Amino acid sequence: MCNACLIESVKDRMLSRRGLFLGAAATAAAGVASGAFNARPALAASTGRVIDLTHAYDSDFPTFDGKPGILYDVDKKFDADGYHLFKLTIFEHTGTHIDAPLHFSEGATSVDALPVENLIAPLCVVDISAKAAEDPNSMVEASDIEAWISANGAIPAGACVAMNSGWTARIGDPSWRNLPDGTMAFPGFSKTATDLLVEAGAASIGVDTMSLDPGNSADFAVHYSWLPSGRFGIEGLANLDQLPASGGTIFIGAPKHRGGTGGPARIIAMV
């Protein structure tokens, strides 16, 4: 086959694949907000290994505004009352937690109303740890999503797409939140990437940092586009570096306080 013919053949295959991808994505995207997906296919390849993606946290765990995210008050003592009991004061967006659509959109879905079908999902892990080591405000770009698809196949309908920036290793160190001068800096998603994930039919995104947007974001473009679309986010994930890029299933223990904008969650993966 001549070189020109070969090039044209490759182009035809690429365009055909893109058309198939976009057609399937349009169908998938239409079902995300209603939770019209079945989680069983995500479990088919499971080997039973379970990874905890949740940080344990206390009043010292880093928060976006620098205030303690959880406070403990002793309500009952074992010696005096025969059992232990704490009264907790918890801010919704602390620790490993959910961002519901309502967090950045008036009248949108609250955390208790998230479709349960989207709380068990295929897990896609996009590794940007190499570039995050060079730039703490690096982002998952559309090109990273395209590279993931090229290596692993299409994003499954209803998937959770999580960013592994290597930030779990920084927990306990100020660099998880800040540069040495105190400026917030950590990786996140770019809007071009999340726009592509909307097309692909993903239902949620997750980060191993404290925000869906990078630390130096001035406009919170991902929060203001992804969440109002009816999708949700997970911030502060742990141990994403222990997972394969594809083939895992995520179990999202979202809180269910009525009208909530999000809240601390127990997140587990099975591979």
Side-chain angles (χ1 to χ4, degrees):
M1 181 182 291
C2 67
N3 288 340
C5 296
L6 180 60
I7 290 170
E8 288 304 314
S9 176
V10 170
K11 284 182 179 178
D12 289 344
R13 288 200 299 272
M14 289 176 67
L15 289 171
S16 175
R17 180 181 179 186
R18 179 167 175 78
L20 179 63
F21 167 74
L22 291 176
T27 302
V32 168
S34 63
F37 296 115
N38 191 316
R40 284 176 294 177
L43 298 170
S46 172
T47 63
R49 187 165 69 94
V50 177
I51 297 94
D52 191 355
L53 304 185
T54 315
H55 289 291
Y57 83 116
D58 56 21
S59 59
D60 294 325
F61 194 90
T63 61
F64 198 86
D65 62 8
K67 299 176 182 177
I70 182 171
L71 298 172
Y72 296 75
D73 288 313
V74 176
D75 187 79
K76 295 290 185 292
K77 294 183 177 181
F78 190 84
D79 290 345
D81 304 298
Y83 61 100
H84 292 294
L85 181 66
F86 291 107
K87 181 178 76 172
L88 301 180
T89 301
I90 298 175
F91 289 89
E92 288 179 312
H93 297 273
T94 55
T96 302
H97 67 275
I98 303 291
D99 278 12
L102 182 61
H103 186 36
F104 269 69
S105 182
E106 188 65 40
T109 303
S110 56
V111 71
D112 59 298
L114 292 175
V116 293
E117 293 84 356
N118 291 341
L119 302 181
I120 301 176
L123 179 59
C124 307
V125 180
V126 180
D127 188 344
I128 65 162
S129 57
K131 67 178 179 180
E134 299 294 328
D135 176 10
N137 288 303
S138 59
M139 293 184 287
V140 176
E141 303 283 0
S143 58
D144 296 307
I145 303 300
E146 291 165 350
W148 190 98
I149 292 169
S150 179
N152 300 283
I155 302 287
C160 175
V161 179
M163 172 193 78
N164 171 30
S165 68
W167 242 239
T168 293
R170 297 177 182 239
I171 281 291
D173 187 272
S175 65
W176 194 78
R177 182 182 188 274
N178 296 330
L179 295 174
D181 65 3
T183 304
M184 257 194 280
F186 43 79
F189 276 86
S190 70
K191 185 177 181 297
T192 57
T194 54
D195 285 349
L196 184 57
L197 292 176
V198 168
E199 289 184 10
S204 60
I205 56 174
V207 294
D208 56 354
T209 59
M210 67 168 58
S211 177
L212 305 178
D213 291 278
N216 64 351
S217 174
D219 58 6
F220 297 97
V222 171
H223 278 85
Y224 277 114
S225 57
W226 181 259
L227 299 180
S229 75
R231 293 158 175 82
F232 65 94
I234 313 168
E235 296 173 334
L237 287 167
N239 301 322
L240 289 171
D241 56 346
Q242 297 182 27
L243 296 171
S246 64
T249 301
I250 191 168
F251 297 82
I252 304 164
K256 202 174 180 181
H257 54 296
R258 196 178 305 279
T261 70
R266 188 65 183 266
I267 315 293
I268 296 169
M270 181 180 289
V271 294

